[in-house]
Amino acid sequence: GAVVSQHPSWVICKSGTSVKIECRSLDFQATTMFWYRQFPKQSLMLMATSNEGSKATYEQGVEKDKFLINHASLTLSTLTVTSAHPEDSSFYICSAVGGSSGANVLTFGAGSRLTVL
Amino acid sequence: ILNVEQSPQSLHVQEGDSTNFTCSFPSSNFYALHWYRWETAKSPEALFVMTLNGDEKKKGRISATLNTKEGYSYLYIKGSQPEDSATYLCAPRLRDYQKVTFGTGTKLQVIP
């Protein structure tokens, strides 16, 4: 079945540093990937839609200069949290469209827990 | 912003009990509804994708129904087992939009 690998699972960084999270589709080509953020006791909030070879589409209220998304290949999308601050601490999760599960089904990574000190 | 509501937010059931929960969503421009199961420390896993009004899908002891005219879907679990403990997310998708909007989920705890 379709598998999406996301890493790191956990990351702790100092305030002001940048952190990169990778999301890879292992056995299928993902032309579209989504990045979500989850605040405590809330739903998955869509941050941006990442399309291979083009600029990401950000949701309203998401700072594109803070959350840099790159989708340089059909199997890899990255989210870089730049100049991280404690309020960026959150759970980030990616998903990809496609694979053996079907064109309409999202295949998720396992998520990344970011803690900014 | 798409308003997706799931209820209840959480529930505890005894092993062997059957249970159900609800997902409500705007009915206009409906394209599809996804149900996902999210177990702790794992990735959300797709359960169903439903598109037609009146659709009923089944996977083992879990089934779901869809009413696109009134904007709701029910998920049923028959004879709950501890391994059914998870957060169940529904996610409608509108016509002409790639993105999927998630509800807050129903957290199910099955007590042995």
Side-chain angles (χ1 to χ4, degrees):
Chain A
V3 176
V4 171
S5 172
Q6 181 175 347
H7 70 90
S9 301
W10 296 84
V11 57
I12 300 173
C13 70
K14 291 182 179 179
S15 188
T17 60
S18 294
V19 173
K20 181 186 282 188
I21 301 169
E22 290 190 350
C23 184
R24 290 180 186 272
S25 57
L26 296 186
D27 48 3
F28 66 102
Q29 294 182 334
T31 54
T32 301
M33 289 188 176
F34 300 99
W35 286 95
Y36 294 87
R37 178 176 181 175
Q38 187 182 37
F39 294 98
K41 297 187 179 180
Q42 293 191 28
S43 182
L44 295 174
M45 182 194 77
L46 181 65
M47 299 174 66
T49 301
S50 168
N51 290 298
E52 185 268 336
S54 64
K55 290 183 180 180
T57 304
Y58 290 82
E59 294 301 301
Q60 192 173 9
V62 178
E63 298 176 61
K64 56 184 72 175
D65 294 332
K66 159 70 85 176
F67 300 101
L68 298 179
I69 290 173
N70 185 278
H71 195 154
S73 77
L74 286 170
T75 58
L76 175 64
S77 178
T78 60
L79 167 68
T80 302
V81 183
T82 62
S83 186
H85 287 94
E87 57 265 30
D88 299 324
S89 298
S90 192
F91 182 79
Y92 296 88
I93 190 167
C94 66
S95 67
V97 176
S100 60
S101 302
N104 286 320
V105 175
L106 297 180
T107 302
F108 283 86
S112 301
R113 173 76 59 188
L114 170 64
T115 301
V116 184
L117 302 176
Chain B
I1 297 176
L2 197 60
N3 187 26
V4 183
E5 293 184 3
Q6 288 189 248
S7 63
Q9 286 192 344
S10 66
L11 74 163
H12 294 76
V13 302
Q14 289 293 135
E15 181 176 353
D17 287 352
S18 294
T19 187
N20 65 84
F21 21 94
T22 308
C23 171
S24 301
F25 52 88
S27 56
S28 58
N29 288 324
F30 175 85
Y31 178 72
L33 182 86
H34 301 213
W35 277 101
Y36 290 84
R37 174 170 59 199
W38 194 359
E39 295 179 66
T40 303
K42 294 186 178 179
S43 306
E45 173 194 29
L47 284 174
F48 306 113
V49 178
M50 309 175 78
T51 55
L52 299 176
N53 185 46
D55 249 358
E56 187 167 338
K57 298 230 173 176
K58 191 174 179 181
K59 189 175 184 178
R61 294 178 290 98
I62 303 176
S63 60
T65 60
L66 177 67
N67 184 320
T68 61
K69 293 185 178 180
E70 295 182 40
Y72 64 84
S73 176
Y74 293 136
L75 189 83
Y76 301 90
I77 302 178
K78 186 178 177 182
S80 303
Q81 298 297 308
E83 58 264 30
D84 296 328
S85 298
T87 296
Y88 291 82
L89 298 169
C90 77
R93 185 176 164 190
L94 299 182
R95 201 175 299 279
D96 298 331
Y97 284 93
Q98 286 181 305
K99 56 191 177 184
V100 171
T101 303
F102 285 87
T104 50
T106 293
K107 187 172 184 178
L108 172 67
Q109 183 78 32
V110 181
I111 303 163

Short mmCIF file of all heavy atoms in Angstrom, two decimals, chain A residues 1-5 24-30 95-103 105-109, chain B residues 43-46:
data_model
loop_
_atom_site.label_atom_id
_atom_site.label_comp_id
_atom_site.label_asym_id
_atom_site.label_seq_id
_atom_site.Cartn_x
_atom_site.Cartn_y
_atom_site.Cartn_z
N GLY A 1 0.81 -1.19 0.00
CA GLY A 1 0.00 0.00 0.00
C GLY A 1 0.84 1.25 0.00
O GLY A 1 2.06 1.20 0.15
N ALA A 2 0.18 2.39 -0.16
CA ALA A 2 0.88 3.66 -0.20
C ALA A 2 1.46 3.99 1.17
O ALA A 2 0.82 3.79 2.20
CB ALA A 2 -0.08 4.76 -0.62
N VAL A 3 2.70 4.48 1.16
CA VAL A 3 3.36 4.83 2.42
C VAL A 3 3.99 6.21 2.27
O VAL A 3 4.63 6.52 1.27
CB VAL A 3 4.47 3.80 2.77
CG1 VAL A 3 5.21 4.24 4.03
CG2 VAL A 3 3.86 2.42 2.98
N VAL A 4 3.81 7.01 3.31
CA VAL A 4 4.45 8.32 3.37
C VAL A 4 5.33 8.34 4.61
O VAL A 4 4.86 8.06 5.72
CB VAL A 4 3.40 9.45 3.44
CG1 VAL A 4 4.06 10.78 3.73
CG2 VAL A 4 2.63 9.53 2.12
N SER A 5 6.58 8.66 4.40
CA SER A 5 7.53 8.72 5.50
C SER A 5 7.77 10.18 5.87
O SER A 5 8.07 11.01 5.00
CB SER A 5 8.85 8.07 5.06
OG SER A 5 9.85 8.27 6.04
N ARG A 24 8.17 12.14 2.52
CA ARG A 24 8.49 11.39 1.31
C ARG A 24 7.42 10.35 1.01
O ARG A 24 7.00 9.62 1.90
CB ARG A 24 9.81 10.64 1.46
CG ARG A 24 11.04 11.51 1.51
CD ARG A 24 12.31 10.66 1.66
NE ARG A 24 13.47 11.52 1.85
CZ ARG A 24 14.19 12.01 0.86
NH1 ARG A 24 13.89 11.73 -0.39
NH2 ARG A 24 15.22 12.79 1.11
N SER A 25 7.01 10.28 -0.24
CA SER A 25 6.15 9.18 -0.67
C SER A 25 7.08 8.06 -1.11
O SER A 25 7.91 8.24 -1.98
CB SER A 25 5.23 9.62 -1.80
OG SER A 25 5.96 10.12 -2.90
N LEU A 26 6.95 6.89 -0.48
CA LEU A 26 7.95 5.84 -0.69
C LEU A 26 7.67 4.96 -1.90
O LEU A 26 8.59 4.43 -2.49
CB LEU A 26 8.04 4.97 0.57
CG LEU A 26 8.53 5.67 1.83
CD1 LEU A 26 8.71 4.67 2.95
CD2 LEU A 26 9.82 6.43 1.57
N ASP A 27 6.44 4.74 -2.24
CA ASP A 27 6.15 3.80 -3.30
C ASP A 27 5.16 4.34 -4.33
O ASP A 27 4.54 3.58 -5.06
CB ASP A 27 5.63 2.49 -2.71
CG ASP A 27 4.53 2.73 -1.68
OD1 ASP A 27 4.15 3.90 -1.48
OD2 ASP A 27 4.07 1.76 -1.07
N PHE A 28 5.04 5.65 -4.35
CA PHE A 28 4.19 6.25 -5.37
C PHE A 28 4.63 7.69 -5.59
O PHE A 28 5.37 8.26 -4.79
CB PHE A 28 2.71 6.19 -4.97
CG PHE A 28 2.35 7.04 -3.76
CD1 PHE A 28 1.72 8.26 -3.93
CD2 PHE A 28 2.62 6.60 -2.48
CE1 PHE A 28 1.37 9.04 -2.83
CE2 PHE A 28 2.28 7.36 -1.38
CZ PHE A 28 1.66 8.59 -1.55
N GLN A 29 4.17 8.24 -6.68
CA GLN A 29 4.50 9.63 -6.99
C GLN A 29 3.38 10.53 -6.49
O GLN A 29 2.21 10.30 -6.80
CB GLN A 29 4.70 9.80 -8.50
CG GLN A 29 5.91 9.05 -9.01
CD GLN A 29 6.13 9.27 -10.50
OE1 GLN A 29 5.19 9.55 -11.24
NE2 GLN A 29 7.37 9.13 -10.96
N ALA A 30 3.75 11.50 -5.74
CA ALA A 30 2.77 12.40 -5.14
C ALA A 30 2.91 13.78 -5.75
O ALA A 30 3.79 14.55 -5.38
CB ALA A 30 2.97 12.47 -3.63
N SER A 95 0.46 15.02 4.23
CA SER A 95 -0.28 13.96 3.56
C SER A 95 -0.10 14.11 2.06
O SER A 95 0.16 15.21 1.57
CB SER A 95 -1.76 13.99 3.93
OG SER A 95 -2.37 15.15 3.40
N ALA A 96 -0.24 13.00 1.37
CA ALA A 96 -0.07 13.00 -0.08
C ALA A 96 -1.30 12.39 -0.73
O ALA A 96 -1.93 11.50 -0.16
CB ALA A 96 1.17 12.21 -0.46
N VAL A 97 -1.59 12.87 -1.91
CA VAL A 97 -2.72 12.34 -2.67
C VAL A 97 -2.20 11.28 -3.62
O VAL A 97 -1.19 11.48 -4.28
CB VAL A 97 -3.40 13.45 -3.49
CG1 VAL A 97 -4.52 12.88 -4.34
CG2 VAL A 97 -3.93 14.52 -2.56
N GLY A 98 -2.90 10.17 -3.68
CA GLY A 98 -2.56 9.16 -4.68
C GLY A 98 -2.04 7.89 -4.07
O GLY A 98 -2.31 7.57 -2.92
N GLY A 99 -1.31 7.14 -4.82
CA GLY A 99 -0.84 5.84 -4.37
C GLY A 99 -1.90 4.78 -4.60
O GLY A 99 -2.96 5.03 -5.16
N SER A 100 -1.63 3.59 -4.10
CA SER A 100 -2.52 2.47 -4.34
C SER A 100 -3.86 2.63 -3.63
O SER A 100 -4.82 1.94 -3.94
CB SER A 100 -1.85 1.16 -3.91
OG SER A 100 -1.54 1.21 -2.53
N SER A 101 -3.91 3.52 -2.66
CA SER A 101 -5.17 3.72 -1.92
C SER A 101 -6.20 4.42 -2.77
O SER A 101 -7.38 4.44 -2.43
CB SER A 101 -4.91 4.54 -0.66
OG SER A 101 -3.95 3.90 0.16
N GLY A 102 -5.78 5.04 -3.86
CA GLY A 102 -6.75 5.70 -4.73
C GLY A 102 -6.47 7.17 -4.86
O GLY A 102 -5.84 7.79 -4.01
N ALA A 103 -6.98 7.72 -5.94
CA ALA A 103 -6.67 9.11 -6.26
C ALA A 103 -7.27 10.09 -5.28
O ALA A 103 -6.79 11.20 -5.13
CB ALA A 103 -7.15 9.43 -7.67
N VAL A 105 -7.80 9.51 -1.97
CA VAL A 105 -7.50 9.22 -0.57
C VAL A 105 -6.18 9.85 -0.18
O VAL A 105 -5.22 9.86 -0.95
CB VAL A 105 -7.43 7.69 -0.35
CG1 VAL A 105 -7.01 7.38 1.07
CG2 VAL A 105 -8.78 7.08 -0.65
N LEU A 106 -6.14 10.40 1.02
CA LEU A 106 -4.91 10.96 1.55
C LEU A 106 -4.12 9.89 2.29
O LEU A 106 -4.69 9.13 3.09
CB LEU A 106 -5.22 12.11 2.52
CG LEU A 106 -5.93 13.33 1.94
CD1 LEU A 106 -6.16 14.36 3.03
CD2 LEU A 106 -5.13 13.93 0.79
N THR A 107 -2.84 9.85 2.03
CA THR A 107 -1.94 8.99 2.79
C THR A 107 -1.08 9.91 3.65
O THR A 107 -0.42 10.81 3.13
CB THR A 107 -1.06 8.16 1.86
OG1 THR A 107 -1.89 7.37 1.01
CG2 THR A 107 -0.15 7.23 2.66
N PHE A 108 -1.11 9.67 4.94
CA PHE A 108 -0.45 10.56 5.89
C PHE A 108 0.92 10.06 6.31
O PHE A 108 1.16 8.85 6.39
CB PHE A 108 -1.30 10.72 7.15
CG PHE A 108 -2.48 11.63 6.99
CD1 PHE A 108 -3.68 11.15 6.49
CD2 PHE A 108 -2.39 12.97 7.32
CE1 PHE A 108 -4.78 11.99 6.33
CE2 PHE A 108 -3.48 13.82 7.17
CZ PHE A 108 -4.68 13.32 6.67
N GLY A 109 1.77 11.03 6.65
CA GLY A 109 2.97 10.70 7.39
C GLY A 109 2.60 10.51 8.85
O GLY A 109 1.43 10.67 9.23
N SER B 43 -0.09 6.99 11.92
CA SER B 43 -0.61 7.93 10.92
C SER B 43 -2.11 7.73 10.77
O SER B 43 -2.61 6.62 10.91
CB SER B 43 0.04 7.65 9.56
OG SER B 43 1.43 7.65 9.63
N PRO B 44 -2.83 8.81 10.48
CA PRO B 44 -4.24 8.62 10.14
C PRO B 44 -4.37 7.67 8.96
O PRO B 44 -3.59 7.72 8.01
CB PRO B 44 -4.70 10.04 9.76
CG PRO B 44 -3.74 10.95 10.46
CD PRO B 44 -2.43 10.21 10.46
N GLU B 45 -5.38 6.81 9.05
CA GLU B 45 -5.57 5.78 8.02
C GLU B 45 -6.95 5.94 7.41
O GLU B 45 -7.94 6.09 8.14
CB GLU B 45 -5.44 4.41 8.69
CG GLU B 45 -5.77 3.23 7.83
CD GLU B 45 -5.95 1.96 8.65
OE1 GLU B 45 -6.36 2.05 9.81
OE2 GLU B 45 -5.71 0.88 8.09
N ALA B 46 -7.01 5.92 6.10
CA ALA B 46 -8.29 6.10 5.43
C ALA B 46 -9.21 4.92 5.68
O ALA B 46 -8.80 3.76 5.57
CB ALA B 46 -8.07 6.28 3.93
#
